Amino acid sequence: MCLIVVDGTWSFNFNNKNKGKDYVGRPIGKKSEDIRSNARRFYEESAYPDTKKFYFVGPGYGMSGNDSPRIYRNVVKCIDEQIKKKNCDELAFVGWSRGAAIISEVAEGLAARKEGAVPPIKFVGLFDSVAMIWRSSPVDRRWGEDITSNVQYFAHVVAGDRTGPVWGVDFRAADPLIKAGRQEVFHLANATHGGVGGDDSTAHAQTSYDYIRNHATIAGVL
């Protein structure tokens, strides 16, 4: 199995515990605080070797998310490279915020391919996925959070503040169309968006991480 992790907006400012570069060479970590996101924590604590897990820093253009389509293309390119190398017989995805929305789009795009052209998607785990992207989707002209039927096991922690609008921009509804084989959605009351996926040392972040990690383990993700 291969693990693909896409972090949230401005995540290049987080994760300074392990500075370096992501799969496509983008810098990880700029802030002085000792923090990391739940997505980065999942990547670091995964038991897969580096040849089987791939981390992508999230969008860096704030509310617009203008670089999300580029990250989407980078993720798809990574998957295609690993398929060509015969490195992945199964796929698992984890993401936070707009990175989670990118993952949803990637899964949807893979669903449109010919059967057998991509490995099975065993698991998708999302930390408070939000679209809030103003550009067209690379799949269907609309960024969303729908989960297609090619996903075998889906788990999502939704922050209690997902009511929108925020700064004049509406959140996509927190009840997307989910067609995964198994569906587990946890609404974490009183948690903020950053509390679910941001600083992993907080109580809400720990609860969120344990939820996604436990379901990933049930799905067979190391």
Side-chain angles (χ1 to χ4, degrees):
M1 186 181 293
C2 287
L3 171 66
I4 309 290
V5 178
V6 186
D7 223 325
T9 304
W10 292 316
S11 56
F12 59 87
N13 279 330
F14 291 80
N15 307 314
N16 57 303
K17 289 182 179 179
N18 287 276
K19 284 188 175 181
K21 294 183 178 180
D22 71 357
Y23 182 75
V24 294
R26 298 177 70 197
I28 300 168
K30 288 185 177 180
K31 283 189 175 180
S32 60
E33 294 91 347
D34 192 22
I35 57 177
R36 66 176 172 178
S37 69
N38 266 340
R40 179 67 185 181
R41 177 184 177 185
F42 195 104
Y43 170 83
E44 291 173 4
E45 296 185 358
S46 167
Y48 294 112
D50 290 345
T51 56
K52 292 283 189 178
K53 60 181 181 180
F54 310 93
Y55 174 82
F56 295 81
V57 169
Y61 285 97
M63 297 296 286
S64 70
N66 283 343
D67 50 343
S68 297
R70 176 171 57 83
I71 297 171
Y72 169 93
R73 291 191 294 271
N74 286 336
V75 173
V76 171
K77 181 179 179 181
C78 170
I79 294 169
D80 287 340
E81 288 174 351
Q82 301 312 312
I83 291 175
K84 186 176 181 180
K85 293 178 182 177
K86 301 186 184 303
N87 187 41
C88 306
D89 56 355
E90 297 173 325
L91 296 172
F93 295 94
V94 171
W96 172 41
S97 188
R98 198 176 270 128
I102 291 171
I103 283 174
S104 299
E105 291 289 326
V106 170
E108 185 179 355
L110 295 179
R113 295 189 180 184
K114 183 179 179 180
E115 184 175 356
V118 296
I121 301 177
K122 300 290 289 186
F123 180 74
V124 169
L126 308 181
F127 295 100
D128 202 35
S129 174
V130 288
M132 293 178 65
I133 295 172
W134 297 346
R135 284 195 171 191
S136 296
S137 158
V139 176
D140 57 10
R141 297 187 178 183
R142 178 180 178 182
W143 283 94
E145 300 169 357
D146 296 342
I147 301 296
T148 42
S149 59
N150 59 326
V151 176
Q152 297 182 18
Y153 198 132
F154 172 69
H156 189 186
V157 179
V158 179
D161 68 343
R162 288 288 305 281
T163 55
V166 175
W167 299 335
V169 182
D170 285 319
F171 281 98
R172 178 84 186 275
D175 56 348
L177 180 64
I178 301 173
K179 296 182 178 180
R182 177 168 177 176
Q183 309 164 18
E184 304 289 345
V185 179
F186 176 33
H187 291 258
L188 188 56
N190 303 316
T192 64
H193 177 61
V196 165
D199 184 354
D200 74 330
S201 67
T202 66
H204 282 148
Q206 183 63 54
T207 299
S208 302
Y209 182 84
D210 289 344
Y211 182 85
I212 296 299
R213 180 66 263 183
N214 289 343
H215 282 294
T217 300
I218 294 171
V221 181
L222 302 179

